[in-house]
């Protein structure tokens, strides 16, 4: 009988095999750990390096124009109070300190905060002024300017809102207060507080859920940087290793400074508020150095849960949290009992400033598009530029308020756009791209719409420039006419009143916005020559073979229309509406400034002639409502525009100070009951009544 | 190679002169007082137009003049622009800006602002003459000969003399 070999190893060989398996297993585990931990270490190392590097990643700040104060300046008490509130100035009954003002009737005493302008630093100073009904009657000193309000920033790719501050600039109570609340062992640990973790673990075990974290300030900094959402063990390990590494690379002071510049303090729309400078500005509209103890305590308290303790939405909860922080500060000796009593008795005193920020979004779109032509986006994101614009916050406020009432004055079905610029210098003062804050669509820049009769001043200007024999006294035929177009169709233009006036002067044709007479003139000029003339003015008119172009059958954005009428308002001086005055780097060196250019060779007399007609339009023509119903005073100039069945209602007009373009219509391009005279003109009239 | 040293010497001299001429054109610093304001100050027109500006703006213009004289042209321009933001249509401030740009070697901007004063500013008196002199100088430096000639010609129109009495 043959012996069958057993497949099982003999008992003698078993320990050897086990040792072999164990050894291979050990090698495998070691290899696995090595393979995972080395990349993990390098990843953590990279993260900590990024934190150090990002300390210098600063967004660019965009400013509105500074308010100039001098005797004779046109300024109402309402406008001045608005500006002061926007800048975060607080009313006081006593002698004003920097950032405060006192009002006694029409007399203001303002203690400015000071600002470093590119040409000179303006020191904080006391300004005393007496207001009349519409202007400053007297003032000491003779000339002063307030700080320019911040209207926005160019953020990092994830739209974070940061502005760096150095540790010595932060109040000592806030630095010690942060440690007292968030990490009492901060000075002694090496990134991880094992005692703190143990304490938190016991509490969590007793509670049966995670109720307390044992994270140090260093760990929180890592967590903030890595944007973790879950609270897992792996995350804790990750944080612990990164925190230990970070403590080897940065001093305690640098970690604290980075923390204050990095930590998340809330949300403003789509923009996250990061850093103590932003938080102080967002919640109290003041610099960090001027935060009171109560305000400091609120900010430190909010860190625990910026959404849960949001003082705007949960004032009671935020107040309780602030008082808890104050109690901790008292217990740990950060503040004394007197300071505690005073701080605890203070109200939250939040700023209303933040609520105005949405008003600036449409203007920021213009700044963004114009600045990209001069600077690379990367520079704007990372180099901490200072962009000084011409935005007038009060005009912007009035413009926004006017647009908001579109539904009340016209209809809920239509949208509106309003742009305002300086009549003489072409500086953009305000933009509102929709009637509601909810709409993100900036029609001022993006909505290409037919301009209708707004083109007529340009047609008549072209005739003056191109036909030497033509003047506004020339005769035109306002009669039915039939034109054969390039595609062998017939086209018969009509007047808005379906009537014809016969032979009329060119002046009457322009003032009364007669279509048939304008087409008669257009045919004298020739379509190709008109297109060439418009293109010379920088108008992006596509080659159009249809004579309807004489009546404005071309699409422009409201912003492009503003450019066009800037030519008339400035008497030929400005062809372009600029939002940026100049840009500096962080050291106040000017990197670029807006430059004016006259790229046309228009005869100024011709522009003045058209302006005469534009003035007549506001007294006896299609916009006479401005001087009759609205009773606006001073010379006004402007032109109405309407497209088929009221799809677009336009008015572009100016006085000696402002040029404004208003568009009204539906986004779906459906008909509306509005012409230029009873639609856009209504908003324009209300705006100029209130400016 | 050295058979015609005088010709070589002459060529070298010619090149050097051309270089110096070009260098002069590109680096020429305009003395606003000597070349514009002082000659225009002699304008004896019967009609003098002095645009009104707020006292605060006058102070800014004086400050800008001091900065310009000290060679701080960038600051001078910013100071004048501040004045212009207060009175955007003022020919007086626009003229100051044109002169500051000229002194700073920004001839296109000097041309723009002086042309604005020529077109929209006073057509009589010192300011009238200053604007035309600025325009002429900017045009010269930009090699716009026709504009320079026209500007120089128009200087005479800035003066209205007292008619002879009989």
């Amino acid at each position: 009988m043959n012996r069958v070999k057993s497949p099982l190893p003999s008992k003698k060989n078993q320990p050897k095999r086990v040792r072999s398996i164990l050894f291979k297993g050990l090698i495998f585990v070691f290899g696995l750990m090595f393979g995972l931990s080395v990349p993990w270490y390098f990843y953590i190392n990279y993260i900590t390096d990024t934190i150090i590097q990002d300390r210098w990643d600063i967004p660019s700040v965009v400013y509105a124009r500074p308010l100039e104060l001098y005797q004779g300046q046109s300024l109402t008490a309402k406008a001045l109070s608005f500006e002061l509130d926007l800048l975060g100035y607080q009313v006081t009954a006593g002698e004003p300190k920097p950032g405060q003002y006192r009002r006694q009737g029409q007399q203001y005493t303002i203690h400015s905060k000071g600002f470093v302008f590119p040409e000179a630093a303006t020191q904080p100073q006391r300004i005393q002024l007496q207001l009349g009904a519409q202007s400053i009657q007297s003032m000491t000193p003779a000339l002063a300017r307030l700080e320019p309000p911040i209207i926005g920033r160019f953020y990092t790719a994830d739209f974070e809102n940061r502005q760096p501050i150095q540790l010595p600039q932060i109040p000592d109570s806030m630095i010690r207060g942060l440690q007292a609340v968030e990490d009492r062992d901060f000075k002694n640990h090496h990134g991880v507080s094992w005692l703190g973790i143990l304490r938190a673990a016991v509490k969590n075990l007793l509670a049966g859920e995670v109720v307390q974290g044992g994270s140090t300030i260093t760990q929180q900094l890592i967590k903030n940087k890595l944007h973790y959402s879950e609270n897992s063990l792996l995350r804790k390990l990750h944080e612990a290793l990164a925190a230990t590494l970070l403590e080897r690379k940065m001093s305690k002071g640098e970690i604290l400074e980075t923390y204050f510049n990095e930590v998340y303090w809330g949300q403003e729309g789509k923009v996250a508020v990061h850093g103590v400078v932003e938080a102080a500005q967002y919640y109290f509209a003041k610099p960090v150095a001027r935060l009171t103890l109560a305000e400091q305590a609120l900010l430190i308290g909010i860190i625990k849960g910026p959404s849960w303790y949001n003082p705007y939405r949960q004032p009671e909860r935020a107040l309780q949290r602030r008082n808890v922080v104050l109690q901790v500060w008292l217990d740990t000796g950060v503040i004394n009992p007197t300071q505690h009593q005073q701080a605890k008795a203070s109200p939250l005193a939040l700023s209303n400033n933040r609520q105005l920020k949405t008003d600036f979004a449409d203007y920021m779109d213009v700044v963004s598009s114009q600045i990209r032509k001069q600077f690379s986006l990367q520079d704007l994101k990372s180099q901490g530029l200072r962009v000084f614009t011409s935005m007038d916050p009060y005009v912007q406020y009035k413009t926004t308020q006017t647009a908001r009432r579109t539904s009340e004055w016209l209809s809920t079905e239509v949208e509106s756009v309003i742009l305002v610029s300086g009549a003489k210098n072409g500086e953009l003062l305000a933009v509102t791209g929709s009637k509601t804050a909810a709409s993100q669509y900036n029609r001022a820049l993006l909505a290409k719409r037919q301009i209708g009769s707004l083109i007529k001043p340009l047609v008549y200007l072209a005739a003056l420039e191109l036909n030497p024999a033509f003047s506004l006294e020339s005769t035109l035929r306002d009669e039915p006419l039939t034109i054969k177009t390039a595609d062998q169709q017939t086209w018969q233009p009509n007047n808005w009143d379906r009537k014809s006036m016969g032979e009329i002067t060119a002046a009457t044709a322009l003032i009364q916005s007669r279509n048939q007479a304008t087409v008669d003139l257009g045919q004298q000029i020739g379509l190709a020559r008109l297109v060439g003339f418009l293109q010379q003015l920088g108008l992006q008119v596509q080659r159009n073979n249809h004579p309807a172009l004489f009546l404005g059958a071309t699409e422009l954005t409201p912003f492009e229309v503003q450019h066009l009428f800037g030519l008339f308002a400035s008497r030929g001086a400005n062809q372009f509406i600029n939002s940026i005055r100049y840009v500096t780097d962080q050291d106040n060196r000017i990197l670029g400034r807006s430059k004016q250019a006259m790229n046309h060779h228009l005869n100024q007399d011709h522009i003045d002639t058209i302006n005469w007609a534009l003035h007549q339009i506001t007294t006896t023509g299609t916009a006479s409502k401005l001087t009759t119903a609205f009773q606006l005073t001073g010379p006004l100039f402007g032109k109405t525009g309407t497209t088929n069945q009221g799809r677009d209602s336009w008015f572009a007009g100016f006085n000696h100070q402002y040029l404004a373009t208003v568009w009204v219509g539906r986004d779906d391009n459906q008909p509306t009951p509005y012409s230029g005279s009873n639609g856009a003109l209504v908003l324009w009239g209300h705006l100029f009544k209130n400016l | 190679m050295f058979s015609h040293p005088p010709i070589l010497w002459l060529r070298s001299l010619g090149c050097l002169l051309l270089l110096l001429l070009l260098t002069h054109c590109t680096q020429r610093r305009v003395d606003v007082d000597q070349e514009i304001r002082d000659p225009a100050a002699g304008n004896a027109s019967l009609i003098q137009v002095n645009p009104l500006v707020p006292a605060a703006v006058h102070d800014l213009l004086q400050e800008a003049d001091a900065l310009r004289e000290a060679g701080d042209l960038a600051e001078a321009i910013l100071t004048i622009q501040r004045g212009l933001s207060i009175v955007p249509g003022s020919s007086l401030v626009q003229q100051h800006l044109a002169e500051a740009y000229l002194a700073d070697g920004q001839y296109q901007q000097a041309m723009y602002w002086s042309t604005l004063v020529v077109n929209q500013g006073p057509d009589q008196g010192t300011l009238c003459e200053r604007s035309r002199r600025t325009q002429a100088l900017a045009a010269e430096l930009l090699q716009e000969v026709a504009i320079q000639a026209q500007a120089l010609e128009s200087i005479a129109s800035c003066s209205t003399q007292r008619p002879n009495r009989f």
Side-chain angles (χ1 to χ4, degrees), chain A residues 69-82:
Chain A
L69 300 168
Y70 54 92
Q71 188 182 346
Q73 189 211 12
S74 176
L75 188 71
T76 61
K78 203 175 167 187
L80 180 57
S81 297
F82 173 87

Side-chain angles (χ1 to χ4, degrees), chain A residues 52-89:
Chain A
I52 295 165
Q53 203 176 347
D54 280 0
R55 291 175 65 207
W56 311 108
D57 191 7
I58 308 156
S60 298
V61 184
V62 184
Y63 296 95
R65 61 96 185 93
L67 179 65
E68 298 279 359
L69 300 168
Y70 54 92
Q71 188 182 346
Q73 189 211 12
S74 176
L75 188 71
T76 61
K78 203 175 167 187
L80 180 57
S81 297
F82 173 87
E83 296 266 359
L84 291 169
D85 183 50
L86 183 65
L87 286 165
Y89 279 75

Side-chain angles (χ1 to χ4, degrees), chain A residues 68-71 118-120 142-145 424-425 427 570-574 581-582 590 593-598 604, chain B residues 54 56-57 59-60 74-75 77-79 81-82 84-89 101 104 106 108-109 112-113 115-116 119-120:
Chain A
E68 298 279 359
L69 300 168
Y70 54 92
Q71 188 182 346
E119 73 273 29
L143 175 66
R145 61 180 159 178
K424 295 199 172 78
N425 56 16
E427 287 190 334
S570 66
R571 297 177 65 207
N574 298 112
R581 285 182 173 172
Y582 48 84
I590 292 187
R593 67 178 104 202
S594 68
K595 290 191 171 148
Q596 299 292 346
M598 224 180 283
Q604 191 172 300
Chain B
V57 175
D59 294 346
L60 282 176
E75 285 82 358
I77 289 168
L78 283 171
T79 305
Q81 282 179 329
R82 187 182 168 194
L84 203 59
S85 74
I86 294 172
V87 277
Y101 273 127
D104 196 34
Q106 298 190 53
Q108 285 287 2
Q109 285 300 293
Y112 171 83
W113 289 103
T115 303
L116 204 57
N119 290 345
Q120 300 186 2

Side-chain angles (χ1 to χ4, degrees), chain A residues 170-435:
Chain A
I170 302 170
D172 190 51
S173 50
M174 205 170 182
I175 298 168
R176 290 194 296 132
L178 172 74
Q179 294 168 63
V181 173
E182 294 292 333
D183 184 2
R184 289 187 200 178
D185 199 28
F186 178 71
K187 280 180 187 166
N188 305 315
H189 63 65
H190 298 284
V192 182
S193 172
W194 300 109
L195 196 68
I197 291 173
L198 196 68
R199 196 186 319 123
V202 171
K203 281 198 175 178
N204 293 343
L205 270 174
L206 289 174
E209 58 179 325
V210 179
V211 291
Q212 187 182 345
S215 297
T216 62
I217 283 175
T218 321
Q219 283 174 289
Q220 286 183 44
L221 181 59
I222 300 283
K223 178 184 167 186
N224 203 70
K225 190 71 200 170
L226 295 179
H227 306 293
Y228 280 127
S229 53
E230 82 282 12
N231 218 2
S232 68
L233 184 67
L234 185 67
R235 194 209 84 186
K236 284 281 174 196
L237 269 172
H238 211 77
E239 269 176 28
L241 180 63
T244 313
L245 260 179
L246 195 66
E247 291 261 350
R248 292 184 62 186
K249 293 179 179 179
M250 294 170 84
S251 69
K252 290 282 183 187
E254 285 171 337
I255 289 172
L256 273 178
E257 185 177 293
T258 312
Y259 184 93
F260 271 112
N261 282 316
E262 186 75 32
V263 76
Y264 175 63
W265 247 299
Q267 196 75 23
E268 186 190 13
K270 61 180 178 179
V271 177
V273 179
H274 280 266
V276 68
V277 177
E278 294 304 331
Q281 189 65 39
Y282 178 62
Y283 291 110
F284 305 110
K286 56 165 72 170
V288 178
R290 291 204 305 106
L291 290 174
T292 64
L293 279 173
E295 289 162 349
Q296 292 171 27
L298 179 65
L299 289 186
I300 296 297
I302 287 173
I303 294 172
K304 191 180 175 189
S307 182
W308 180 254
Y309 295 113
N310 184 328
Y312 285 109
R313 281 183 305 202
Q314 304 290 348
E316 280 302 314
R317 194 183 289 162
L319 192 72
Q320 277 179 9
R321 174 68 185 155
R322 184 202 69 178
N323 291 342
V324 168
V325 170
L326 285 170
Q327 187 60 48
V328 173
W329 287 7
L330 177 67
D331 296 343
T332 51
V334 175
I335 54 175
N336 61 38
T338 315
Q339 288 173 318
H340 178 252
Q341 281 300 320
Q342 283 176 349
K344 202 177 166 187
S346 307
L348 287 178
L350 299 168
S351 163
N352 292 322
N353 176 17
R354 67 179 195 113
Q355 288 161 0
L356 296 164
K357 278 205 169 180
T358 52
D359 290 357
F360 305 148
D362 291 336
Y363 193 96
M364 281 294 290
D365 287 343
V366 179
V367 176
S368 172
S369 75
Q370 292 194 332
I371 205 164
R372 277 164 212 250
K373 292 171 189 166
Q374 296 175 49
F375 299 90
S376 80
L377 203 58
Q378 191 52 42
D379 285 345
L380 294 173
K381 280 177 177 172
S382 60
Q383 297 304 312
L385 305 178
R386 304 202 311 158
V387 183
F388 293 86
T389 72
S390 51
M391 189 225 246
D392 185 320
Y394 190 64
V395 173
Q396 177 66 61
Y397 169 70
K398 287 289 179 186
T399 302
T400 308
Q401 292 305 308
T402 304
R404 295 275 186 275
R405 298 183 73 176
T406 303
S407 299
E408 181 187 332
W409 288 327
L410 299 174
S411 146
T412 53
E413 291 187 337
V414 292
E415 261 293 351
S416 63
V417 170
I418 307 177
L419 291 128
V420 186
S421 60
K424 295 199 172 78
N425 56 16
E427 287 190 334
L428 187 67
L429 305 176
V431 182
T432 301
S434 61
K435 65 176 179 181

